[in-house]
Amino acid sequence: MTVNMVAVASMATPSVTVAVTNSKALTLSSSSSSSSSSLSLTSCFPSSNSTRRLHPSSCSLTLRCGASSSSPFTSPNSNSTSLIAAALGIDSQPERDSEPLQVMISGAPASGKGTQCELIKHKYGLVHVAAGDLLRAEIATGSDNGKLAKQYMEKGQLVPDHIVVMMVKDRLLKPDAKDNGWLLDGYPRSLSQATALKEFGFQPDIFVLLEVSEDILVERVVGRRLDPVTGKIYHLKYSPPETEEIAARLTQRFDDTEEKVKLRLNTHHQNVEAVLSMYKDITVKINGNVSKEEVFAQIDSALTSLLEQRKAASGSLAA
Ligand code: AP5
């Protein structure tokens, strides 16, 4: 390998074309209504003559060619040309010296868990497991469990353990989560769920708690919109859609009303202390009132320190 290069796909990039033109060169170009750019790598990829057009939802991985001593992260909001690792079958994970990270992220409704998970996933390659997303997927299947779950979610209450607990356990046991590490979002939310998780042997390395004031939470909930095509989270004021086309297809969650968020907040307050007591030794409190980039900087710093501590510990063990 002669190229040291790292890039991350920009979610703001409407389309990216990857063209492997011969055995020695790869050309990548991105285009949008306002700009286009391209970039070439040489002596990096095997022989192939193909061109693929990729949707940005598949552009979430870090491309690494050769070893790099610098940070493998470029902001997903960057406007730079995006490279796609997944399409090329190239390793997308940061280099790892030890066991994969196991991270829990917690916070009130709309505190920014999903938004931060996207950023964490991009940098650390962890598998994002969100209890709310698993439940919404179950609802979409039309199953009895899904129908029952929806009744609770509409009231802002916790879905019963007999539905949630095995759902999350099964997801964490999948090979991708075991191999790459996991990022557990919105789970556990009660003492019984935390106890069950412990009994199954799932112990996080760190418990990230997003702290956001209540008036901000309500504003974030009512302004949230989702792109059903890419899964990206938007906010009408803080993260508006990039194009008219995206704006036209955005949807709102059925529980994202001011009335329902108040019920969800009540449920959160009733359960949060019991969960926190289980993880107090590994809890890192994050100020979630600031911009998503500033929130991520705090989380990134905590995860980086954790990895450095592990590296130092494994180094001293080896010595
Ligand atoms: P779930 O889907 O988990 O909802 P939630 O916990 O209420 O959290 P949200 O998804 O609403 O918010 P978030 O923190 O991810 O915020 P986001 O990043 O989207 O659960 C839904 C329901 O499922 C529950 O009520 C319950 O019924 C059930 N359920 C779930 N887990 C369960 C469990 N373990 N047991 C039983 N039942 C369970 O951000 C919100 C908005 O703010 C977005 O528009 C975003 O763009 C914006 N934003 C984010 N960060 C910032 C920032 N820093 N500055 C400005 N805007 C920001």
Side-chain angles (χ1 to χ4, degrees):
M1 295 276 184
T2 57
V3 181
N4 276 343
M5 167 113 210
V6 172
V8 171
S10 163
M11 295 300 287
T13 304
S15 71
V16 180
T17 300
V18 179
V20 181
T21 50
N22 58 47
S23 62
K24 295 284 179 187
L26 168 70
T27 302
L28 298 109
S29 58
S30 68
S31 63
S32 69
S33 54
S34 57
S35 66
S36 68
S37 53
S38 67
L39 180 128
S40 296
L41 300 180
T42 54
S43 304
C44 195
F45 296 97
S47 176
S48 169
N49 286 312
S50 63
T51 299
R52 292 184 62 178
R53 182 163 287 275
L54 297 152
H55 194 277
S57 63
S58 63
C59 303
S60 61
L61 297 174
T62 306
L63 173 62
R64 313 191 72 200
C65 304
S68 168
S69 56
S70 60
S71 164
F73 183 62
T74 300
S75 165
N77 294 322
S78 146
N79 288 322
S80 63
T81 298
S82 301
L83 306 181
I84 295 73
L88 301 168
I90 293 167
D91 181 19
S92 64
Q93 307 301 321
E95 281 168 34
R96 236 182 6 228
D97 298 309
S98 54
E99 289 296 301
L101 273 180
Q102 302 184 150
V103 177
M104 277 182 188
I105 184 160
S106 174
S111 52
K113 302 182 292 294
T115 300
Q116 294 305 318
C117 285
E118 281 303 307
L119 300 173
I120 297 168
K121 200 171 73 174
H122 274 297
K123 175 159 184 181
Y124 293 91
L126 306 178
V127 174
H128 179 200
V129 178
D133 290 346
L134 293 177
L135 288 166
R136 281 182 286 276
E138 190 65 35
I139 292 172
T141 67
S143 69
D144 288 345
N145 274 349
K147 285 178 189 148
L148 187 61
K150 191 169 184 199
Q151 290 173 21
Y152 283 86
M153 291 165 80
E154 279 179 334
K155 289 185 270 185
Q157 294 172 356
L158 293 186
V159 173
D161 282 356
H162 75 268
I163 296 177
V164 186
V165 169
M166 297 312 285
M167 200 180 258
V168 173
K169 178 193 173 202
D170 290 347
R171 183 63 191 89
L172 292 176
L173 284 175
K174 291 215 164 125
D176 61 340
K178 286 169 89 173
D179 294 346
N180 300 314
W182 42 257
L183 176 56
L184 193 48
D185 164 2
Y187 192 94
R189 290 197 199 207
S190 64
L191 189 58
S192 59
Q193 290 177 4
T195 307
L197 208 54
K198 194 172 176 187
E199 281 167 5
F200 294 140
F202 295 111
Q203 180 59 27
D205 301 305
I206 183 168
F207 185 91
V208 176
L209 177 64
L210 299 180
E211 297 187 308
V212 179
S213 62
E214 209 138 315
D215 50 335
I216 292 182
L217 293 172
V218 174
E219 192 193 11
R220 286 188 187 172
V221 161
V222 295
R224 173 169 44 196
R225 296 292 183 277
L226 303 170
D227 184 342
V229 176
T230 63
K232 190 175 174 190
I233 305 167
Y234 290 95
H235 190 280
L236 294 178
K237 183 172 169 189
Y238 301 113
S239 298
E242 298 87 351
T243 65
E244 288 290 322
E245 189 190 349
I246 297 172
R249 68 181 186 228
L250 294 183
T251 59
Q252 192 170 18
R253 260 170 53 177
F254 65 83
D255 55 350
D256 269 357
T257 61
E258 190 164 346
E259 179 202 359
K260 285 187 177 148
V261 76
K262 288 191 173 147
L263 300 172
R264 285 157 63 194
L265 277 167
N266 278 342
T267 305
H268 171 75
H269 292 314
Q270 282 162 17
N271 293 288
V272 65
E273 287 306 324
V275 174
L276 293 183
S277 69
M278 293 281 285
Y279 302 108
K280 59 179 184 296
D281 297 342
I282 53 163
T283 295
V284 175
K285 292 184 179 175
I286 302 291
N287 174 10
N289 294 305
V290 290
S291 74
K292 67 181 178 187
E293 291 80 10
E294 290 169 295
V295 175
F296 180 66
Q298 298 171 65
I299 297 174
D300 189 24
S301 161
L303 295 182
T304 302
S305 310
L306 179 62
L307 288 173
E308 280 168 5
Q309 281 165 25
R310 279 180 165 199
K311 204 169 177 179
S314 66
S316 59
L317 272 180

